[in-house]
Amino acid sequence: MTAGTPTGPLGGHLDDDDYPAYTMGRAAAMLGTTQGFLRAIGDARLITPLRSEGGHRRYSRYQLRIAARARELVDQGTPIESACRIVILEDQLEEAQRLNAEYRNAAGSANPPAAT
């Protein structure tokens, strides 16, 4: 066994934000919400949990962060469908801003200012 070989039951997935490590019950407990809320945001297609071999829903840390944001909006009185749409749009805006910054950085490094 080498130092770089992942071991243990998660096989090195402890740092993977997209690894579906949490059961529905655990996810609901972590968020302080109900399993029904997780089902509802899944039905609204905000998140799509992976399924275990037995068909049980499994959630990643990334999905839990999205669910937590939706819960904040619902707790403020936003209908669940609207909250899901807001979170989707916020996520799309964040991604667009990240890409824009990357393009600006690439364009800036391709055309360095002339030395005087």
Side-chain angles (χ1 to χ4, degrees), residues 14-110:
L14 289 175
D15 294 331
D16 186 354
D17 256 4
D18 296 318
Y19 184 74
Y22 303 99
T23 63
M24 177 179 270
R26 180 69 180 129
M30 290 171 68
L31 294 171
T33 190
T34 65
Q35 293 180 14
F37 175 79
L38 291 173
R39 283 188 207 95
I41 63 174
D43 291 344
R45 298 178 188 239
L46 177 61
I47 58 175
T48 303
L50 274 81
R51 297 284 184 149
S52 68
E53 289 181 16
H56 300 282
R57 291 172 177 90
R58 306 283 295 193
Y59 298 88
S60 68
R61 286 187 295 195
Y62 174 73
Q63 289 173 324
L64 293 183
R65 282 195 302 274
I66 290 173
R69 176 64 181 133
R71 179 168 183 236
E72 288 174 15
L73 292 168
V74 169
D75 287 350
Q76 294 171 6
T78 306
I80 196 161
E81 296 82 12
S82 299
C84 291
R85 185 67 182 140
I86 290 168
V87 173
I88 289 167
L89 291 170
E90 287 175 343
D91 196 46
Q92 290 173 345
L93 176 61
E94 183 179 323
E95 177 67 9
Q97 289 173 333
R98 184 190 65 75
L99 288 171
N100 192 18
E102 283 181 18
Y103 292 142
R104 284 185 180 168
N105 287 338
S109 64

